[in-house]
Amino acid sequence: MACRSNDLTAAVVAAALLVPGAAWAEGDASRGEQVFQQCQSCHAVGQGAKNRVGPHLNDLFGRTAGTLEGARFSKGMIRLGADGTVWTAETLDHFLENPRSMVTRTRMSYRGMAAPQDRADVIAYLRQFSASPRDIPEAEPTADKRNPDVSDRDDGFRVAAAILAIQGDPAYGEYLSGECVTCHQATGKDRGIPSITGWPADVFVTVMHAYKDKHRPHPVMQSVASNLADEEIAALAAYFEGAE
């Protein structure tokens, strides 16, 4: 969407993510070691750990996303770091729940860790391999708010079925799209900013509401999404889905 100038720099965002907040729930590191076995095919941690398919996880906490030297990252993960995301217990909790809720086109094929206790335990285990773990806030496991009126989309963020059911007006969406294409290429090409042309409407709506609810960390996109009504998001989704 739009790329307005914003006073929140990546450095400020990163610093904010490291500020201790409320009392975070403790996890069981011993149990976390067992849960972590499902991650070991791609990630290593501990003495002598090296990058595998994914980066090693030593000194993960306090690291900017997508920046470990020698590791391969998707463009989406690199952008996440460029937006100021630093791995803390809180951001890792969101990512583990479903990686695509934070990085739509992550290279990770892992679909996510649904149980809040599993995530808390893995976080407790991984914190042992970062310097000064006591200075890093712990994650409060995301509450399980399953509701029959809520749909779970492919990118992992849950949006109310009533919102997904809104029929957007493509013509109105085209009218609103001028601000979007100041950054996103109308041709659908990816030039450092992801293309949104041709996105399925439900994916577009889901991603925008993830920004609106501050589930995704980009401060400019959070601001843009918060100023859009549900009907306007649906209209943009309908327009870009059919755009060529």
Side-chain angles (χ1 to χ4, degrees):
M1 303 297 290
C3 288
R4 301 186 185 118
S5 60
N6 195 293
D7 293 335
L8 288 176
T9 65
V12 172
V13 175
L17 286 169
L18 288 172
V19 174
W24 302 102
E26 287 282 357
D28 182 340
S30 295
R31 182 175 180 275
E33 183 175 8
Q34 300 301 313
V35 179
F36 182 74
Q37 290 179 4
Q38 62 188 274
C39 312
Q40 289 179 335
S41 60
C42 295
H43 297 280
V45 69
Q47 186 175 4
K50 296 181 180 180
N51 297 325
R52 294 181 178 174
V53 176
H56 73 72
L57 303 180
N58 290 342
D59 293 318
L60 174 64
F61 292 83
R63 180 195 301 169
T64 300
T67 62
L68 181 64
E69 184 177 356
R72 296 176 57 201
F73 295 103
S74 65
K75 290 182 179 179
M77 183 63 74
I78 293 171
R79 290 189 191 104
L80 189 69
D83 291 339
T85 296
V86 172
W87 292 121
T88 67
E90 184 175 16
T91 53
L92 186 58
D93 182 57
H94 283 307
F95 187 71
L96 286 174
E97 184 178 12
N98 192 310
R100 291 185 181 182
S101 68
M102 292 180 70
V103 187
T104 305
R105 295 179 181 178
T106 176
R107 292 175 61 238
M108 285 184 61
S109 59
Y110 184 61
R111 293 191 62 83
M113 193 174 292
Q117 191 59 55
D118 286 350
R119 298 196 302 274
D121 293 344
V122 167
I123 288 168
Y125 172 64
L126 292 177
R127 287 177 74 246
Q128 300 176 115
F129 302 99
S130 289
S132 302
R134 292 182 181 179
D135 297 333
I136 302 166
E138 296 170 44
E140 183 177 39
T142 304
D144 187 5
K145 300 178 180 179
R146 303 284 174 179
N147 186 301
D149 191 41
V150 173
S151 296
D152 192 359
R153 310 312 301 168
D154 287 343
D155 72 350
F157 183 75
R158 298 174 66 78
V159 177
I163 292 177
L164 289 172
I166 297 173
Q167 296 297 310
D169 179 354
Y172 184 39
E174 183 176 13
Y175 169 75
L176 295 171
S177 70
E179 188 175 20
C180 307
V181 297
T182 60
C183 292
H184 297 276
Q185 298 293 311
T187 61
K189 293 183 178 180
D190 183 342
R191 295 181 180 175
I193 296 175
S195 168
I196 54 177
T197 300
W199 274 24
D202 62 338
V203 172
F204 186 100
V205 169
T206 297
V207 169
M208 288 303 295
H209 278 276
Y211 284 122
K212 193 170 186 176
D213 291 354
K214 294 183 169 53
H215 193 81
R216 287 191 171 214
H218 194 299
V220 175
M221 286 301 305
Q222 288 176 353
S223 176
V224 170
S226 67
N227 290 323
L228 292 172
D230 294 348
E231 291 75 13
E232 291 174 323
I233 291 175
L236 286 166
Y239 168 67
F240 280 109
E241 182 177 44
E244 297 181 354

